[in-house]
Amino acid sequence: MKVLIQFENKPLLFRDPVSVISCEGPSSLWECFARMEDAIGKGYYLAGFVSYEAGYSFEECLGGDTRRDFPLLRMGVYDAPAAVRMPPAPARPRVSLGDMRLNISYEDYHSDITAIREYIRNGDVYQVTYCIKFLFRFRGDPFSLYRILLREQPVPYPAYIDTGSHYILSLSPEMFIRKEGPHITTKPMKGTWPRGGNIISDTIAGVRFKYDAKNRAENVMIADLLRNDLGRMGTGIKAPKLFEVAKYRKLHQMTSTITGETDARIPFRQVFSSLFPSGSVTGAPKIRAMRIIRELEGEDRRIYTGAIGYISPARDMFFNI
């Protein structure tokens, strides 16, 4: 299992694991967290992913008793990562994509959105992060595709994983959690706005976005949810930055920063039980939104909207969404 983490332009390569911790169903999830604690206690690093569906096992009322055909969690156990210098993306791509299609018909999509609006109208939920999948046939080298995508759309939290049975290419703009000693930070992303066509219209677009009532409402709902979730595992919870506007090549995104303090040796199981999955990928209230997602989406998200990252022997953590 090979894991390349490129968060904040600081590439770390984890390869040749001592062992791999993998969970195929909810019944073994807590055992995997115990094995993670044991590995860190012996001075190893952990790097890998947690799938979105693991979140249904962190809350009893959601019920997580279904075995999955994709790992809920997979972590490699490593001696240490290597700092690497990444080569540029190939000028002549050795990849081809075809047969591009969505996994849902327009009629079913329209029906799902109508149902979500009805849930909101009835007061069942305030916000639902509904996802559909874009499918395609692929030929070529997955790592070349990853580098091409990252060149075309640079993001702050990309990662690439080769598990031996799956390739995972993560072009993530969003931090899930960063823990450094007792200090914890999360940066939920909610709100989207198009870029302008020139420097003047782009500046105006950014200002309009920052003060747009709908996007602010959407963002502050999730910021409040994350403050509550961090409060389950820490103290001194603050929101030092709200409604920050990040610029990407094709669009603006809105983020907020939530911070707090926790026990530097807090169990990993408690961290994920408190925060995972992030409210930015579920909606609010989280549990009700997750039930609606499970009802409407029809297939597992797997790694999408899960988390990829690593844990150091000092118990520091850094994961994207």
Side-chain angles (χ1 to χ4, degrees):
M1 179 173 172
K2 181 169 66 176
V3 181
L4 173 64
I5 303 290
Q6 290 187 268
F7 299 170
E8 298 177 349
N9 293 314
K10 297 175 182 176
L12 296 174
L13 178 61
F14 298 83
R15 59 186 171 191
D16 302 322
V18 174
S19 62
V20 175
I21 300 169
S22 186
C23 170
E24 310 299 329
S27 62
S28 61
L29 187 59
W30 305 133
E31 177 190 346
C32 286
F33 275 102
R35 292 175 61 195
M36 289 165 59
E37 295 283 355
D38 182 63
I40 291 294
K42 292 176 178 176
Y44 291 112
Y45 284 79
L46 297 170
F49 67 86
V50 183
S51 294
Y52 170 82
E53 277 71 34
Y56 289 107
S57 298
F58 294 137
E59 293 285 350
E60 275 190 39
C61 62
L62 287 172
D65 57 352
T66 303
R67 185 175 178 83
R68 307 286 174 175
D69 60 358
F70 187 81
L72 295 181
L73 176 151
R74 182 163 288 180
M75 290 283 166
V77 179
Y78 301 91
D79 285 320
V84 293
R85 184 175 180 179
M86 298 305 302
R92 294 183 177 179
R94 293 177 295 161
V95 302
S96 66
L97 285 72
D99 190 20
M100 298 185 181
R101 64 207 186 278
L102 293 173
N103 71 327
I104 188 172
S105 68
Y106 177 79
E107 291 74 21
D108 287 341
Y109 172 81
H110 183 271
S111 175
D112 289 348
I113 297 302
T114 300
I116 290 170
R117 287 175 168 164
E118 191 65 21
Y119 281 127
I120 293 172
R121 187 177 296 114
N122 292 337
D124 281 86
V125 69
Y126 300 113
Q127 182 181 150
V128 176
T129 304
Y130 173 82
C131 297
I132 58 179
K133 295 180 181 179
F134 195 59
L135 309 176
F136 56 89
R137 294 188 184 279
F138 172 76
R139 293 181 64 185
D141 173 38
F143 189 60
S144 293
L145 176 60
Y146 168 75
R147 288 187 291 162
I148 292 164
L149 293 172
L150 189 55
R151 179 187 65 195
E152 295 301 314
Q153 180 70 301
V155 291
Y157 305 106
Y160 176 86
I161 298 179
D162 177 358
T163 71
S165 56
H166 298 89
Y167 296 99
I168 299 170
L169 290 60
S170 175
L171 283 296
S172 175
E174 187 173 1
M175 177 201 292
F176 172 48
I177 184 173
R178 188 168 194 171
K179 176 183 171 294
E180 298 173 294
H183 309 296
I184 45 176
T185 303
T186 186
K187 293 187 70 171
M189 177 178 283
K190 268 298 175 188
T192 306
W193 199 270
R195 296 290 302 267
N198 56 55
I199 189 169
I200 295 174
S201 63
D202 194 50
T203 300
I204 293 171
V207 173
R208 288 181 62 196
F209 178 38
K210 185 175 179 67
Y211 294 99
D212 178 71
K214 182 266 183 188
N215 280 282
R216 282 194 163 215
E218 186 179 351
N219 186 278
V220 80
M221 282 183 201
I222 302 306
D224 283 343
L225 191 158
L226 264 295
R227 281 192 283 201
N228 180 70
D229 283 357
L230 276 183
R232 299 169 66 184
M233 57 173 279
T235 59
I237 310 304
K238 299 176 183 177
K241 296 180 181 179
L242 290 172
F243 314 130
E244 298 173 89
V245 174
K247 292 185 178 183
Y248 296 90
R249 286 188 178 171
K250 301 295 184 182
L251 46 79
H252 296 91
Q253 297 269 201
M254 184 178 287
T255 65
S256 291
T257 301
I258 316 298
T259 63
E261 304 291 316
T262 191
D263 181 349
R265 301 193 62 79
I266 185 172
F268 308 133
R269 170 177 171 170
Q270 185 177 347
V271 173
F272 279 89
S273 293
S274 298
L275 297 178
F276 188 87
S278 173
S280 66
V281 301
T282 62
K286 182 192 281 189
I287 290 176
R288 185 66 182 120
M290 289 178 71
R291 284 182 171 142
I292 293 170
I293 287 167
R294 182 162 56 184
E295 169 196 332
L296 295 179
E297 289 189 8
E299 354 178 339
D300 287 351
R301 292 184 178 184
R302 297 182 167 188
I303 184 58
Y304 184 65
T305 69
I308 293 172
Y310 67 93
I311 304 172
S312 77
R315 306 183 70 83
D316 292 343
M317 307 171 62
F318 202 176
F319 282 82
N320 74 3
I321 293 179

